[in-house]
Amino acid sequence: MTVNRRCIIRLSRYKNALVRLKNLGFVKVFSDNLADAAGVNSAQVRKDFSIFGLTGNKRGGYRVDELLEELNRILGKDRVQEAVIAGVGNIGAALLQYNGFEKEGIKIRAGFEIDPSKFRERPGVSVLSLEKMGGYIRSNGIEIGIIAVPDFAAQQVLEIMVNSGIRGVLNFAPIRLRSSSSCIINSVNLVAELENVIYFTRIADKNFEDNESQNT
Amino acid sequence: MTVNRRCIIRLSRYKNALVRLKNLGFVKVFSDNLADAAGVNSAQVRKDFSIFGLTGNKRGGYRVDELLEELNRILGKDRVQEAVIAGVGNIGAALLQYNGFEKEGIKIRAGFEIDPSKFRERPGVSVLSLEKMGGYIRSNGIEIGIIAVPDFAAQQVLEIMVNSGIRGVLNFAPIRLRSSSSCIINSVNLVAELENVIYFTRIADKNFEDNESQNT
DNA sequence: GCCGTTTTGTAACTTTTTTCACAAAAAAAA
DNA sequence: TTTTTTTTGTGAAAAAAGTTACAAAACGGC
Ligand SMILES: NC(=O)c1ccc[n+]([C@@H]2O[C@H](COP(=O)([O-])OP(=O)(O)OC[C@H]3O[C@@H](n4cnc5c(N)ncnc54)[C@H](O)[C@@H]3O)[C@@H](O)[C@H]2O)c1
Ligand SMILES: NC(=O)c1ccc[n+]([C@@H]2O[C@H](COP(=O)([O-])OP(=O)(O)OC[C@H]3O[C@@H](n4cnc5c(N)ncnc54)[C@H](O)[C@@H]3O)[C@@H](O)[C@H]2O)c1
């Protein structure tokens, strides 16, 4: 009944499924279809919706476009969400270059580095000195940060972010970050995800539930 | 009491914490310390260990090196785990280049592409034509695959992998993949992870539990 | 060798999450 | 119009996950 991480991840999945259904020309959808697309039970879908007051029609299911609009609103897509990245190495650069964020209403405004060879000032997405990060976040009112620096630098980067106004962080460094409660932190540890695959592959047991992303 | 995804993710975290403790010269560790490093309760740590028969000493805690060795064994680090990647775009290239896998006993042996401009044959990690993937997997006995292709290509790539002997997959495409029970699939959806951060940032409510990677 | 302290290992309990199951509404068929 | 079918919305039940709490073991000091 409460909204938790997994619930929101499921909403993202429902949303993705709805976008595809819409592109295929579907007008209505049943909880069954969404359940199937998201890999859950249909009662779960209806229950998730009931938390947010999303209702359908007895027998008629849900209208794809209405539902999609509501999910988008819940997921914060009613306005562009701006973010910055610290660390423009392998992962950071991959995220900066990814063009899929744009159509999800997520805009990465700038990257920040300590390695000057990675700097590049230009329209669109600049990569600037880490020293400029705090000021940039503050003057642009950015609330979302992505941490893609080596583990030993992550906590320090987080602190700069939080002190400058960042309220939510997606972290790729394989370390537990500590922050004040004013900032929520979601960490994605890709090595752990692979270790997970390896473990369940080895025991070849189907005790496995899909990660919820995913993500988690 | 059962081994689930989150439990294995926690083991990865304990392992990471132990590596750091070992490097700092620690010889013993208490469930409390690991709990703190992993962001969980100390009873959770002991319970996780009890599932795998990992025991410590009443009062003395756990020996760091023994525990680390056992966790490494459980997580499949007793031998090098080989993997292949399909799709060497932003994410695929970031993973191929990442040198942190090596010291975790994970070796990405090759990448596979449909875009010839991405091909590069050379010692170490080659990027080859997708057409060669099945044969490569088979002849090298690879069991782990990483999918980093666009969503519309992911299911098809998965099928080639599974038919060639892949038993576990880490998927980055934001779509639900379907496979026979012989292959486990763990999907990481980075957009959903960001949407999660955005959601919980907006409601500014601390109903939030950290992703289990964090996965998870 | 005894006593107080610390920390494990786990049984019992609590909380959270998921699934079941069914009345009620709506559409379609008769 | 009445009946049948379908699908929602939600309590109640079940299952899963996490926490509490404490006996038992082990260490250190005396
Ligand atoms: N690339 C992967 O596939 C992968 C996989 C698993 C985990 N990770 C984790 O993701 C993080 C980034 O990995 P990567 O492969 O991109 O590493 P990378 O070394 O390629 O990039 C890190 C970048 O951060 C920069 N940097 C270092 N300290 C900084 C600081 N204080 N402020 C700003 N920038 C700083 C470096 O100059 C570098 O460009 C690491 O914590 C790594 O463990 C990456
Ligand atoms: N890069 C990111 O930050 C990011 C974020 C979220 C999700 N994703 C997801 O990860 C996946 C990869 O993203 P990306 O940014 O690396 O995309 P990309 O377009 O940079 O790379 C995809 C690569 O796959 C190759 N490809 C296409 N079809 C193929 C096939 N059938 N077999 C082999 N290779 C094929 C393309 O040639 C391309 O090089 C996508 O599904 C994307 O939605 C990426």
Side-chain angles (χ1 to χ4, degrees):
Chain A
M1 193 63 185
T2 46
V3 182
N4 59 27
R5 209 189 99 72
R6 316 186 91 213
C7 174
I8 299 301
I9 291 284
R10 286 193 299 268
L11 293 196
S12 292
R13 291 191 191 183
Y14 304 149
K15 179 209 65 185
N16 288 344
L18 284 169
V19 170
R20 278 191 292 273
L21 288 169
K22 189 175 182 183
N23 289 339
L24 290 170
F26 282 79
V27 173
K28 289 179 172 180
V29 65
F30 302 126
S31 57
D32 235 13
N33 310 138
L34 291 174
D36 189 51
V40 301
N41 181 298
S42 72
Q44 180 81 80
V45 175
R46 298 196 296 275
K47 201 148 236 189
D48 285 340
F49 287 176
S50 86
I51 293 173
F52 295 97
L54 302 177
T55 59
N57 307 297
K58 298 237 157 116
R59 186 139 192 189
Y62 305 83
R63 287 194 57 88
V64 171
D65 49 6
E66 279 176 14
L67 187 54
L68 189 52
E69 203 172 328
E70 301 250 44
L71 288 177
N72 278 336
R73 191 181 37 73
I74 292 165
L75 293 173
K77 306 198 165 303
D78 44 352
R79 67 176 178 84
V80 172
Q81 297 288 336
E82 299 183 310
V84 294
I85 295 196
V88 186
N90 296 313
I91 286 276
L95 295 167
L96 268 191
Q97 252 116 281
Y98 183 56
N99 55 26
F101 287 132
E102 209 95 21
K103 69 167 183 290
E104 294 288 353
I106 296 167
K107 173 71 189 153
I108 298 176
R109 289 285 303 276
F112 295 92
E113 260 291 340
I114 43 164
D115 176 357
S117 75
K118 303 258 170 72
F119 296 172
R120 48 165 198 179
E121 295 232 18
R122 52 164 136 120
V125 185
S126 300
V127 177
L128 309 170
S129 165
L130 181 70
E131 283 160 24
K132 297 189 177 155
M133 186 170 73
Y136 188 95
I137 291 169
R138 233 184 301 267
S139 58
N140 290 278
I142 310 279
E143 296 192 333
I144 306 295
I146 299 173
I147 294 183
V149 299
D151 53 2
F152 55 80
Q155 181 66 44
Q156 182 201 335
V157 163
L158 174 68
E159 274 150 30
I160 298 170
M161 285 183 170
V162 172
N163 289 336
S164 315
I166 290 289
R167 314 258 338 278
V169 165
L170 184 64
N171 167 50
F172 288 90
I175 193 157
R176 178 173 178 219
L177 297 179
R178 287 143 204 280
S179 88
S180 69
S181 67
S182 70
C183 179
I184 75 104
I185 295 173
N186 185 13
S187 294
V188 173
N189 181 335
L190 296 179
V191 170
E193 296 298 338
L194 260 176
E195 286 170 347
N196 217 272
V197 170
I198 291 166
Y199 177 84
F200 285 102
T201 300
R202 279 161 62 105
I203 66 168
D205 203 349
K206 257 300 209 174
N207 289 19
F208 186 82
E209 345 99 54
D210 192 356
N211 178 351
E212 49 278 0
S213 52
Q214 118 188 359
N215 166 91
T216 30
Chain B
M1 191 62 186
T2 48
V3 182
N4 60 25
R5 207 190 98 73
R6 315 185 90 209
C7 174
I8 300 301
I9 291 286
R10 286 193 298 268
L11 294 195
S12 292
R13 292 191 190 182
Y14 303 149
K15 178 209 68 185
N16 288 345
L18 283 169
V19 169
R20 278 192 291 272
L21 287 169
K22 189 176 181 181
N23 290 340
L24 291 171
F26 282 79
V27 174
K28 289 178 171 180
V29 66
F30 303 125
S31 56
D32 235 13
N33 309 139
L34 292 174
D36 189 51
V40 301
N41 181 299
S42 73
Q44 180 80 80
V45 175
R46 300 197 294 277
K47 201 159 226 183
D48 285 340
F49 288 176
S50 86
I51 293 174
F52 295 98
L54 302 176
T55 60
N57 308 297
K58 297 242 155 106
R59 185 137 197 198
Y62 304 83
R63 287 194 56 90
V64 171
D65 47 7
E66 279 176 15
L67 187 54
L68 189 51
E69 204 169 329
E70 301 248 45
L71 287 178
N72 278 336
R73 190 180 40 71
I74 292 165
L75 294 173
K77 307 199 162 306
D78 43 351
R79 68 177 177 81
V80 172
Q81 298 287 338
E82 299 183 311
V84 294
I85 296 195
V88 186
N90 296 315
I91 286 274
L95 295 167
L96 269 189
Q97 252 117 280
Y98 183 58
N99 55 26
F101 288 132
E102 208 95 22
K103 68 169 184 291
E104 295 287 353
I106 296 167
K107 172 70 189 154
I108 299 177
R109 289 287 302 277
F112 295 92
E113 260 290 341
I114 44 163
D115 176 356
S117 76
K118 302 257 170 74
F119 296 171
R120 48 164 199 181
E121 294 231 17
R122 53 162 135 117
V125 186
S126 299
V127 177
L128 309 170
S129 165
L130 180 70
E131 285 162 21
K132 297 190 178 155
M133 186 170 73
Y136 188 95
I137 290 169
R138 234 185 300 269
S139 58
N140 290 277
I142 311 279
E143 295 192 333
I144 306 296
I146 299 172
I147 294 182
V149 298
D151 53 2
F152 55 80
Q155 181 68 44
Q156 181 200 335
V157 162
L158 173 68
E159 273 150 31
I160 299 171
M161 285 183 169
V162 172
N163 289 335
S164 316
I166 290 289
R167 313 260 335 281
V169 164
L170 184 63
N171 168 50
F172 288 89
I175 193 159
R176 178 170 178 222
L177 298 179
R178 287 145 203 279
S179 87
S180 68
S181 66
S182 70
C183 181
I184 74 104
I185 295 173
N186 186 12
S187 292
V188 173
N189 182 335
L190 297 180
V191 170
E193 296 299 337
L194 260 176
E195 285 170 348
N196 217 273
V197 170
I198 290 166
Y199 178 85
F200 285 103
T201 299
R202 278 161 62 105
I203 67 168
D205 202 349
K206 256 301 211 179
N207 289 19
F208 186 82
E209 343 101 53
D210 193 354
N211 177 350
E212 46 281 357
S213 69
Q214 162 207 40
N215 201 64
T216 62

